Amino acid sequence: MDPKKILEQLQLRAAYLEELDLGYALDRPELRPASNRGPARPASEARRGDVLFEEPRPYESSVASPADRLRLIREEIGDCKRCRLCQKRTQIVFGVGNPSARVLFVGEGPGQEEDRQGIPFVGRAGQLLTDIITKGMGLKRQDVYIANVVKCRPPENRTPQPDEMAACLPFLEAQIEAIRPEVIVALGATACQGLLGSPVQITKIRGKWTDYRGTALMPTFHPSYLLRNPAAKKEVWDDIQKVMAKLGLSIRKS
């Protein structure tokens, strides 16, 4: 992507965070909104990419339980109209699962069935993810947490635009902070790009551990890709076995 466009997207996201009364703690003033380009915060107070709140919001409280924090994040989203995806959605698809889950699955965005039910990963790709969780990992869906980079369905299931992702990412980031999983599984290139903050080639990074703000992150293929390319299931199973090993889960012999 053109560096100028990247800068524009960063500034757009920073402006959005300022609108929410959030300070986007970037150590380069030119990446802040033009209306708020004061001196950079000291490194001891902020790191590039962190989101700092001028006043703690309710869902940031260390006293609140993960479930309470998630509820408050959902209240903060409200009837969201922060980007164009609100125009054609049926409902917001927030996330589902165990608020104290050890593993968090992050996808791209809701599809048609998810938009109808308000629950992530309930269509054909969702059934495949459920099989991975239950038949592969030996867990239940309610043991894990499942969310998406954007919470409203993009028209015709297209890839979310950068400004749409920027509008939604603060809430995903807050969900991750509330849940504090041991492992994040990023399903597909868009999820990886949203979490890591830069374009990726999923074929090159899948199966390789990376880091999201101190949390182990495993990139793998999106279940919808497996529906089109069943042969890739073996690669995803290899990735999931690495996740299971990190979590100390026993791997079933086929």
Side-chain angles (χ1 to χ4, degrees), residues 16 45-46 67 73 120 132 135 139 154 164 171 174 216 220 231 234 237:
Y16 165 70
E45 186 178 342
I73 295 166
I132 290 171
K135 299 177 182 179
L139 301 173
E164 297 163 352
F171 298 111
T220 193
K234 180 182 183 304
W237 176 232

Side-chain angles (χ1 to χ4, degrees), residues 53 55-65 68-73 75-76 178:
F53 295 81
E55 295 182 4
R57 289 178 176 257
Y59 56 74
E60 288 192 292
S61 171
S62 59
V63 177
S65 69
D68 287 339
R69 294 172 78 181
L70 289 171
R71 175 179 56 81
L72 291 167
I73 295 166
E75 290 179 4
E76 179 81 9

Side-chain angles (χ1 to χ4, degrees), residues 158-232:
R158 64 162 171 76
T159 301
Q161 297 296 315
D163 61 318
E164 297 163 352
M165 293 170 62
C168 229
L169 274 169
F171 298 111
L172 175 62
E173 292 164 355
Q175 286 176 288
I176 295 171
E177 178 61 26
I179 299 165
R180 301 199 175 189
E182 295 174 40
V183 173
I184 299 171
V185 180
L187 302 168
T190 301
C192 292
Q193 178 177 333
L195 291 168
L196 300 178
S198 60
V200 299
Q201 293 185 31
I202 190 65
T203 54
K204 291 186 177 180
I205 67 168
R206 61 139 291 271
K208 299 176 183 177
W209 286 109
T210 186
D211 175 87
Y212 170 82
R213 301 185 183 184
T215 300
L217 187 149
M218 173 58 69
T220 193
F221 293 128
H222 193 283
S224 62
Y225 176 81
L226 302 183
L227 294 175
R228 302 188 302 270
N229 302 275

